[in-house]
PDB file of all heavy atoms in Angstrom:
ATOM      1  N   PHE A1126      96.699 104.141  98.608  1.00  0.00           N
ATOM      2  CA  PHE A1126      96.386 105.535  99.196  1.00  0.00           C
ATOM      3  C   PHE A1126      95.419 106.273  98.253  1.00  0.00           C
ATOM      4  O   PHE A1126      95.494 106.280  97.128  1.00  0.00           O
ATOM      5  CB  PHE A1126      97.663 106.284  99.321  1.00  0.00           C
ATOM      6  CG  PHE A1126      97.461 107.664  99.780  1.00  0.00           C
ATOM      7  CD1 PHE A1126      97.262 108.081 101.095  1.00  0.00           C
ATOM      8  CD2 PHE A1126      97.437 108.724  98.830  1.00  0.00           C
ATOM      9  CE1 PHE A1126      97.013 109.365 101.448  1.00  0.00           C
ATOM     10  CE2 PHE A1126      97.321 110.043  99.171  1.00  0.00           C
ATOM     11  CZ  PHE A1126      97.090 110.390 100.516  1.00  0.00           C
ATOM     12  N   SER A1127      94.424 106.948  98.957  1.00  0.00           N
ATOM     13  CA  SER A1127      93.584 107.833  98.266  1.00  0.00           C
ATOM     14  C   SER A1127      93.649 109.208  98.637  1.00  0.00           C
ATOM     15  O   SER A1127      93.726 110.124  97.718  1.00  0.00           O
ATOM     16  CB  SER A1127      92.050 107.283  98.535  1.00  0.00           C
ATOM     17  OG  SER A1127      91.190 108.207  97.882  1.00  0.00           O
ATOM     18  N   ASN A1128      93.550 109.612  99.907  1.00  0.00           N
ATOM     19  CA  ASN A1128      93.505 110.981 100.288  1.00  0.00           C
ATOM     20  C   ASN A1128      93.911 111.146 101.816  1.00  0.00           C
ATOM     21  O   ASN A1128      93.766 110.113 102.555  1.00  0.00           O
ATOM     22  CB  ASN A1128      92.150 111.538 100.117  1.00  0.00           C
ATOM     23  CG  ASN A1128      92.067 113.033 100.320  1.00  0.00           C
ATOM     24  OD1 ASN A1128      92.972 113.754  99.983  1.00  0.00           O
ATOM     25  ND2 ASN A1128      91.012 113.548 100.964  1.00  0.00           N
ATOM     26  N   TYR A1129      94.353 112.265 102.287  1.00  0.00           N
ATOM     27  CA  TYR A1129      94.536 112.437 103.704  1.00  0.00           C
ATOM     28  C   TYR A1129      94.092 113.870 104.030  1.00  0.00           C
ATOM     29  O   TYR A1129      94.073 114.740 103.318  1.00  0.00           O
ATOM     30  CB  TYR A1129      95.922 112.224 103.980  1.00  0.00           C
ATOM     31  CG  TYR A1129      96.939 113.354 103.797  1.00  0.00           C
ATOM     32  CD1 TYR A1129      97.488 114.109 104.699  1.00  0.00           C
ATOM     33  CD2 TYR A1129      97.393 113.564 102.392  1.00  0.00           C
ATOM     34  CE1 TYR A1129      98.474 115.056 104.452  1.00  0.00           C
ATOM     35  CE2 TYR A1129      98.215 114.615 102.120  1.00  0.00           C
ATOM     36  CZ  TYR A1129      98.729 115.407 103.158  1.00  0.00           C
ATOM     37  OH  TYR A1129      99.681 116.370 102.872  1.00  0.00           O
ATOM     38  N   LEU A1130      93.772 114.053 105.390  1.00  0.00           N
ATOM     39  CA  LEU A1130      93.392 115.248 106.005  1.00  0.00           C
ATOM     40  C   LEU A1130      94.266 115.509 107.171  1.00  0.00           C
ATOM     41  O   LEU A1130      94.348 114.732 108.138  1.00  0.00           O
ATOM     42  CB  LEU A1130      91.873 115.313 106.294  1.00  0.00           C
ATOM     43  CG  LEU A1130      90.967 115.156 105.193  1.00  0.00           C
ATOM     44  CD1 LEU A1130      89.513 115.063 105.777  1.00  0.00           C
ATOM     45  CD2 LEU A1130      90.961 116.463 104.294  1.00  0.00           C
ATOM     46  N   VAL A1131      94.772 116.690 107.402  1.00  0.00           N
ATOM     47  CA  VAL A1131      95.518 117.175 108.573  1.00  0.00           C
ATOM     48  C   VAL A1131      94.481 118.063 109.419  1.00  0.00           C
ATOM     49  O   VAL A1131      93.667 118.727 108.706  1.00  0.00           O
ATOM     50  CB  VAL A1131      96.754 117.930 108.337  1.00  0.00           C
ATOM     51  CG1 VAL A1131      97.804 116.948 107.661  1.00  0.00           C
ATOM     52  CG2 VAL A1131      96.558 119.251 107.589  1.00  0.00           C
ATOM     53  N   ASN A1132      94.520 118.049 110.676  1.00  0.00           N
ATOM     54  CA  ASN A1132      93.623 118.920 111.470  1.00  0.00           C
ATOM     55  C   ASN A1132      92.240 118.753 111.039  1.00  0.00           C
ATOM     56  O   ASN A1132      91.593 119.783 110.811  1.00  0.00           O
ATOM     57  CB  ASN A1132      94.228 120.426 111.374  1.00  0.00           C
ATOM     58  CG  ASN A1132      93.535 121.292 112.451  1.00  0.00           C
ATOM     59  OD1 ASN A1132      93.336 120.867 113.609  1.00  0.00           O
ATOM     60  ND2 ASN A1132      93.343 122.550 112.011  1.00  0.00           N
ATOM     61  N   PRO A1133      91.650 117.598 110.853  1.00  0.00           N
ATOM     62  CA  PRO A1133      90.339 117.452 110.296  1.00  0.00           C
ATOM     63  C   PRO A1133      89.177 118.005 111.087  1.00  0.00           C
ATOM     64  O   PRO A1133      88.153 118.314 110.474  1.00  0.00           O
ATOM     65  CB  PRO A1133      90.103 115.908 110.307  1.00  0.00           C
ATOM     66  CG  PRO A1133      91.155 115.361 111.309  1.00  0.00           C
ATOM     67  CD  PRO A1133      92.249 116.233 111.363  1.00  0.00           C
ATOM     68  N   ASP A1134      89.346 118.214 112.335  1.00  0.00           N
ATOM     69  CA  ASP A1134      88.326 118.884 113.104  1.00  0.00           C
ATOM     70  C   ASP A1134      88.627 120.312 113.733  1.00  0.00           C
ATOM     71  O   ASP A1134      88.070 120.803 114.648  1.00  0.00           O
ATOM     72  CB  ASP A1134      87.893 117.943 114.362  1.00  0.00           C
ATOM     73  CG  ASP A1134      87.521 116.611 113.824  1.00  0.00           C
ATOM     74  OD1 ASP A1134      86.647 116.537 112.905  1.00  0.00           O
ATOM     75  OD2 ASP A1134      88.024 115.567 114.318  1.00  0.00           O
ATOM     76  N   ALA A1135      89.731 120.944 113.119  1.00  0.00           N
ATOM     77  CA  ALA A1135      90.129 122.230 113.377  1.00  0.00           C
ATOM     78  C   ALA A1135      90.567 122.345 114.979  1.00  0.00           C
ATOM     79  O   ALA A1135      90.392 123.392 115.529  1.00  0.00           O
ATOM     80  CB  ALA A1135      89.170 123.278 113.087  1.00  0.00           C
ATOM     81  N   LYS A1136      91.147 121.259 115.464  1.00  0.00           N
ATOM     82  CA  LYS A1136      91.584 121.328 116.887  1.00  0.00           C
ATOM     83  C   LYS A1136      92.905 122.010 117.166  1.00  0.00           C
ATOM     84  O   LYS A1136      93.308 122.245 118.279  1.00  0.00           O
ATOM     85  CB  LYS A1136      91.600 119.888 117.529  1.00  0.00           C
ATOM     86  CG  LYS A1136      90.256 119.153 117.397  1.00  0.00           C
ATOM     87  CD  LYS A1136      89.257 119.708 118.297  1.00  0.00           C
ATOM     88  CE  LYS A1136      87.956 118.942 118.286  1.00  0.00           C
ATOM     89  NZ  LYS A1136      86.958 119.552 119.119  1.00  0.00           N
ATOM     90  N   LEU A1137      93.503 122.433 116.052  1.00  0.00           N
ATOM     91  CA  LEU A1137      94.696 123.280 116.113  1.00  0.00           C
ATOM     92  C   LEU A1137      94.475 124.724 115.608  1.00  0.00           C
ATOM     93  O   LEU A1137      95.321 125.492 115.346  1.00  0.00           O
ATOM     94  CB  LEU A1137      95.868 122.703 115.336  1.00  0.00           C
ATOM     95  CG  LEU A1137      96.478 121.340 115.843  1.00  0.00           C
ATOM     96  CD1 LEU A1137      97.651 120.956 115.093  1.00  0.00           C
ATOM     97  CD2 LEU A1137      96.784 121.369 117.313  1.00  0.00           C
ATOM     98  N   GLY A1138      93.197 125.053 115.632  1.00  0.00           N
ATOM     99  CA  GLY A1138      92.757 126.418 115.114  1.00  0.00           C
ATOM    100  C   GLY A1138      92.447 126.374 113.703  1.00  0.00           C
ATOM    101  O   GLY A1138      92.592 125.351 112.980  1.00  0.00           O
ATOM    102  N   ALA A1139      92.053 127.583 113.175  1.00  0.00           N
ATOM    103  CA  ALA A1139      91.582 127.658 111.837  1.00  0.00           C
ATOM    104  C   ALA A1139      92.690 127.732 110.791  1.00  0.00           C
ATOM    105  O   ALA A1139      92.501 127.304 109.588  1.00  0.00           O
ATOM    106  CB  ALA A1139      90.685 128.932 111.648  1.00  0.00           C
ATOM    107  N   ALA A1140      93.881 128.049 111.132  1.00  0.00           N
ATOM    108  CA  ALA A1140      95.016 128.324 110.131  1.00  0.00           C
ATOM    109  C   ALA A1140      96.269 127.719 110.824  1.00  0.00           C
ATOM    110  O   ALA A1140      97.318 128.484 111.057  1.00  0.00           O
ATOM    111  CB  ALA A1140      95.177 129.848 109.821  1.00  0.00           C
ATOM    112  N   PRO A1141      96.395 126.394 110.859  1.00  0.00           N
ATOM    113  CA  PRO A1141      97.632 125.805 111.407  1.00  0.00           C
ATOM    114  C   PRO A1141      98.790 125.905 110.366  1.00  0.00           C
ATOM    115  O   PRO A1141      98.465 126.161 109.217  1.00  0.00           O
ATOM    116  CB  PRO A1141      97.161 124.328 111.604  1.00  0.00           C
ATOM    117  CG  PRO A1141      96.052 124.168 110.724  1.00  0.00           C
ATOM    118  CD  PRO A1141      95.298 125.448 110.620  1.00  0.00           C
ATOM    119  N   PHE A1142      99.967 125.665 110.852  1.00  0.00           N
ATOM    120  CA  PHE A1142     101.155 125.719 109.965  1.00  0.00           C
ATOM    121  C   PHE A1142     101.485 124.253 109.593  1.00  0.00           C
ATOM    122  O   PHE A1142     101.923 123.432 110.461  1.00  0.00           O
ATOM    123  CB  PHE A1142     102.283 126.316 110.778  1.00  0.00           C
ATOM    124  CG  PHE A1142     103.518 126.668 109.941  1.00  0.00           C
ATOM    125  CD1 PHE A1142     103.399 127.251 108.753  1.00  0.00           C
ATOM    126  CD2 PHE A1142     104.779 126.178 110.336  1.00  0.00           C
ATOM    127  CE1 PHE A1142     104.577 127.500 108.015  1.00  0.00           C
ATOM    128  CE2 PHE A1142     105.824 126.347 109.717  1.00  0.00           C
ATOM    129  CZ  PHE A1142     105.778 127.120 108.520  1.00  0.00           C
ATOM    130  N   ASP A1143     101.171 123.825 108.334  1.00  0.00           N
ATOM    131  CA  ASP A1143     101.280 122.494 107.867  1.00  0.00           C
ATOM    132  C   ASP A1143     102.478 122.246 106.942  1.00  0.00           C
ATOM    133  O   ASP A1143     102.494 122.946 105.910  1.00  0.00           O
ATOM    134  CB  ASP A1143      99.916 122.106 107.173  1.00  0.00           C
ATOM    135  CG  ASP A1143      99.927 120.660 106.642  1.00  0.00           C
ATOM    136  OD1 ASP A1143     100.776 119.856 107.189  1.00  0.00           O
ATOM    137  OD2 ASP A1143      99.218 120.389 105.643  1.00  0.00           O
ATOM    138  N   THR A1144     103.377 121.412 107.357  1.00  0.00           N
ATOM    139  CA  THR A1144     104.422 121.064 106.444  1.00  0.00           C
ATOM    140  C   THR A1144     104.468 119.507 106.207  1.00  0.00           C
ATOM    141  O   THR A1144     105.628 118.989 105.982  1.00  0.00           O
ATOM    142  CB  THR A1144     105.823 121.517 107.040  1.00  0.00           C
ATOM    143  OG1 THR A1144     106.067 120.931 108.280  1.00  0.00           O
ATOM    144  CG2 THR A1144     105.792 123.024 107.132  1.00  0.00           C
ATOM    145  N   SER A1145     103.370 118.834 106.302  1.00  0.00           N
ATOM    146  CA  SER A1145     103.279 117.410 106.072  1.00  0.00           C
ATOM    147  C   SER A1145     103.699 117.070 104.624  1.00  0.00           C
ATOM    148  O   SER A1145     103.456 117.711 103.707  1.00  0.00           O
ATOM    149  CB  SER A1145     101.861 117.034 106.271  1.00  0.00           C
ATOM    150  OG  SER A1145     101.391 117.282 107.538  1.00  0.00           O
ATOM    151  N   PHE A1146     104.378 115.891 104.557  1.00  0.00           N
ATOM    152  CA  PHE A1146     104.779 115.482 103.179  1.00  0.00           C
ATOM    153  C   PHE A1146     103.680 114.610 102.531  1.00  0.00           C
ATOM    154  O   PHE A1146     103.737 114.431 101.304  1.00  0.00           O
ATOM    155  CB  PHE A1146     105.997 114.436 103.364  1.00  0.00           C
ATOM    156  CG  PHE A1146     107.241 115.265 103.790  1.00  0.00           C
ATOM    157  CD1 PHE A1146     108.107 114.680 104.788  1.00  0.00           C
ATOM    158  CD2 PHE A1146     107.605 116.420 103.208  1.00  0.00           C
ATOM    159  CE1 PHE A1146     109.169 115.333 105.225  1.00  0.00           C
ATOM    160  CE2 PHE A1146     108.769 117.196 103.712  1.00  0.00           C
ATOM    161  CZ  PHE A1146     109.589 116.613 104.713  1.00  0.00           C
ATOM    162  N   GLY A1147     102.711 114.138 103.359  1.00  0.00           N
ATOM    163  CA  GLY A1147     101.626 113.231 102.717  1.00  0.00           C
ATOM    164  C   GLY A1147     102.108 111.932 102.367  1.00  0.00           C
ATOM    165  O   GLY A1147     102.918 111.348 103.057  1.00  0.00           O
ATOM    166  N   ASP A1148     101.456 111.339 101.340  1.00  0.00           N
ATOM    167  CA  ASP A1148     101.799 109.898 100.988  1.00  0.00           C
ATOM    168  C   ASP A1148     103.125 109.829 100.323  1.00  0.00           C
ATOM    169  O   ASP A1148     103.459 110.484  99.413  1.00  0.00           O
ATOM    170  CB  ASP A1148     100.673 109.381 100.078  1.00  0.00           C
ATOM    171  CG  ASP A1148     100.934 107.925  99.723  1.00  0.00           C
ATOM    172  OD1 ASP A1148     100.964 107.167 100.681  1.00  0.00           O
ATOM    173  OD2 ASP A1148     101.083 107.600  98.499  1.00  0.00           O
ATOM    174  N   LEU A1149     103.964 108.873 100.867  1.00  0.00           N
ATOM    175  CA  LEU A1149     105.223 108.640 100.251  1.00  0.00           C
ATOM    176  C   LEU A1149     105.420 107.158  99.830  1.00  0.00           C
ATOM    177  O   LEU A1149     106.517 106.612  99.592  1.00  0.00           O
ATOM    178  CB  LEU A1149     106.341 108.934 101.349  1.00  0.00           C
ATOM    179  CG  LEU A1149     106.407 110.363 101.818  1.00  0.00           C
ATOM    180  CD1 LEU A1149     107.377 110.488 102.966  1.00  0.00           C
ATOM    181  CD2 LEU A1149     106.717 111.277 100.752  1.00  0.00           C
ATOM    182  N   GLY A1150     104.351 106.519  99.691  1.00  0.00           N
ATOM    183  CA  GLY A1150     104.284 105.071  99.271  1.00  0.00           C
ATOM    184  C   GLY A1150     104.574 104.201 100.485  1.00  0.00           C
ATOM    185  O   GLY A1150     105.762 103.946 100.900  1.00  0.00           O
ATOM    186  N   GLY A1151     103.479 103.667 101.095  1.00  0.00           N
ATOM    187  CA  GLY A1151     103.616 102.745 102.259  1.00  0.00           C
ATOM    188  C   GLY A1151     103.658 103.581 103.540  1.00  0.00           C
ATOM    189  O   GLY A1151     103.524 102.998 104.667  1.00  0.00           O
ATOM    190  N   THR A1152     103.736 104.895 103.542  1.00  0.00           N
ATOM    191  CA  THR A1152     103.730 105.798 104.673  1.00  0.00           C
ATOM    192  C   THR A1152     103.075 107.074 104.331  1.00  0.00           C
ATOM    193  O   THR A1152     103.074 107.548 103.160  1.00  0.00           O
ATOM    194  CB  THR A1152     105.172 106.120 105.127  1.00  0.00           C
ATOM    195  OG1 THR A1152     105.895 106.903 104.152  1.00  0.00           O
ATOM    196  CG2 THR A1152     105.996 104.890 105.490  1.00  0.00           C
ATOM    197  N   VAL A1153     102.348 107.634 105.289  1.00  0.00           N
ATOM    198  CA  VAL A1153     101.705 108.943 105.190  1.00  0.00           C
ATOM    199  C   VAL A1153     102.276 109.835 106.279  1.00  0.00           C
ATOM    200  O   VAL A1153     102.164 109.482 107.413  1.00  0.00           O
ATOM    201  CB  VAL A1153     100.204 108.867 105.277  1.00  0.00           C
ATOM    202  CG1 VAL A1153      99.681 110.331 104.961  1.00  0.00           C
ATOM    203  CG2 VAL A1153      99.648 107.865 104.302  1.00  0.00           C
ATOM    204  N   ASP A1154     102.884 110.961 105.895  1.00  0.00           N
ATOM    205  CA  ASP A1154     103.653 111.794 106.837  1.00  0.00           C
ATOM    206  C   ASP A1154     102.739 112.991 107.230  1.00  0.00           C
ATOM    207  O   ASP A1154     102.242 113.741 106.373  1.00  0.00           O
ATOM    208  CB  ASP A1154     104.977 112.257 106.202  1.00  0.00           C
ATOM    209  CG  ASP A1154     105.739 113.225 107.022  1.00  0.00           C
ATOM    210  OD1 ASP A1154     105.435 114.397 107.115  1.00  0.00           O
ATOM    211  OD2 ASP A1154     106.665 112.694 107.663  1.00  0.00           O
ATOM    212  N   PHE A1155     102.780 113.243 108.505  1.00  0.00           N
ATOM    213  CA  PHE A1155     102.024 114.435 109.135  1.00  0.00           C
ATOM    214  C   PHE A1155     102.927 115.178 110.006  1.00  0.00           C
ATOM    215  O   PHE A1155     103.718 114.715 110.837  1.00  0.00           O
ATOM    216  CB  PHE A1155     100.928 113.987 109.968  1.00  0.00           C
ATOM    217  CG  PHE A1155      99.711 113.352 109.360  1.00  0.00           C
ATOM    218  CD1 PHE A1155      99.814 112.048 108.811  1.00  0.00           C
ATOM    219  CD2 PHE A1155      98.559 114.056 109.169  1.00  0.00           C
ATOM    220  CE1 PHE A1155      98.695 111.487 108.138  1.00  0.00           C
ATOM    221  CE2 PHE A1155      97.446 113.502 108.543  1.00  0.00           C
ATOM    222  CZ  PHE A1155      97.492 112.171 108.064  1.00  0.00           C
ATOM    223  N   LEU A1156     103.032 116.580 109.710  1.00  0.00           N
ATOM    224  CA  LEU A1156     103.752 117.411 110.694  1.00  0.00           C
ATOM    225  C   LEU A1156     103.147 118.791 110.582  1.00  0.00           C
ATOM    226  O   LEU A1156     103.021 119.500 109.588  1.00  0.00           O
ATOM    227  CB  LEU A1156     105.268 117.637 110.060  1.00  0.00           C
ATOM    228  CG  LEU A1156     106.223 118.569 110.826  1.00  0.00           C
ATOM    229  CD1 LEU A1156     106.202 118.216 112.304  1.00  0.00           C
ATOM    230  CD2 LEU A1156     107.497 118.498 110.238  1.00  0.00           C
ATOM    231  N   ILE A1157     102.658 119.252 111.797  1.00  0.00           N
ATOM    232  CA  ILE A1157     101.780 120.440 111.794  1.00  0.00           C
ATOM    233  C   ILE A1157     101.869 121.177 113.154  1.00  0.00           C
ATOM    234  O   ILE A1157     102.101 120.492 114.181  1.00  0.00           O
ATOM    235  CB  ILE A1157     100.245 120.021 111.499  1.00  0.00           C
ATOM    236  CG1 ILE A1157      99.315 121.209 111.451  1.00  0.00           C
ATOM    237  CG2 ILE A1157      99.800 119.026 112.557  1.00  0.00           C
ATOM    238  CD1 ILE A1157      97.932 120.836 110.954  1.00  0.00           C
ATOM    239  N   LEU A1158     101.786 122.466 113.147  1.00  0.00           N
ATOM    240  CA  LEU A1158     101.833 123.280 114.304  1.00  0.00           C
ATOM    241  C   LEU A1158     100.460 124.109 114.437  1.00  0.00           C
ATOM    242  O   LEU A1158      99.871 124.481 113.400  1.00  0.00           O
ATOM    243  CB  LEU A1158     103.001 124.298 114.346  1.00  0.00           C
ATOM    244  CG  LEU A1158     104.294 123.761 114.653  1.00  0.00           C
ATOM    245  CD1 LEU A1158     105.355 124.843 114.379  1.00  0.00           C
ATOM    246  CD2 LEU A1158     104.451 123.099 115.975  1.00  0.00           C
ATOM    247  N   ALA A1159     100.068 124.414 115.694  1.00  0.00           N
ATOM    248  CA  ALA A1159      98.770 125.064 115.862  1.00  0.00           C
ATOM    249  C   ALA A1159      98.799 126.491 115.255  1.00  0.00           C
ATOM    250  O   ALA A1159      99.842 127.085 115.063  1.00  0.00           O
ATOM    251  CB  ALA A1159      98.494 125.199 117.310  1.00  0.00           C
ATOM    252  N   ASP A1160      97.712 127.000 114.919  1.00  0.00           N
ATOM    253  CA  ASP A1160      97.481 128.357 114.473  1.00  0.00           C
ATOM    254  C   ASP A1160      98.201 129.341 115.463  1.00  0.00           C
ATOM    255  O   ASP A1160      97.973 129.233 116.685  1.00  0.00           O
ATOM    256  CB  ASP A1160      95.993 128.738 114.469  1.00  0.00           C
ATOM    257  CG  ASP A1160      95.711 130.026 113.981  1.00  0.00           C
ATOM    258  OD1 ASP A1160      96.541 130.921 113.923  1.00  0.00           O
ATOM    259  OD2 ASP A1160      94.566 130.224 113.390  1.00  0.00           O
ATOM    260  N   ALA A1161      99.116 130.123 115.058  1.00  0.00           N
ATOM    261  CA  ALA A1161      99.870 130.997 115.904  1.00  0.00           C
ATOM    262  C   ALA A1161      99.094 132.023 116.654  1.00  0.00           C
ATOM    263  O   ALA A1161      99.543 132.551 117.591  1.00  0.00           O
ATOM    264  CB  ALA A1161     100.983 131.699 115.063  1.00  0.00           C
ATOM    265  N   SER A1162      97.863 132.341 116.232  1.00  0.00           N
ATOM    266  CA  SER A1162      97.025 133.348 116.769  1.00  0.00           C
ATOM    267  C   SER A1162      96.204 132.809 117.937  1.00  0.00           C
ATOM    268  O   SER A1162      95.600 133.644 118.678  1.00  0.00           O
ATOM    269  CB  SER A1162      96.142 134.051 115.698  1.00  0.00           C
ATOM    270  OG  SER A1162      95.200 133.054 115.200  1.00  0.00           O
TER     271      SER A1162
END
């Protein structure tokens, strides 16, 4: 693993709510909600 990006093209708005864990060794975890505004 090197790096990861959530919402890379801002399709959930400019300020999404991100609680991703990222790399856990053999897995990369994503969990995100759209910008509330």
Side-chain angles (χ1 to χ4, degrees):
F1126 171 83
S1127 175
N1128 188 38
Y1129 80 107
L1130 295 172
V1131 300
N1132 194 37
D1134 304 310
K1136 299 299 185 180
L1137 293 186
F1142 188 51
D1143 177 25
T1144 60
S1145 304
F1146 295 135
D1148 183 56
L1149 300 173
T1152 64
V1153 186
D1154 178 277
F1155 289 76
L1156 178 57
I1157 184 170
L1158 288 174
D1160 185 335
S1162 67

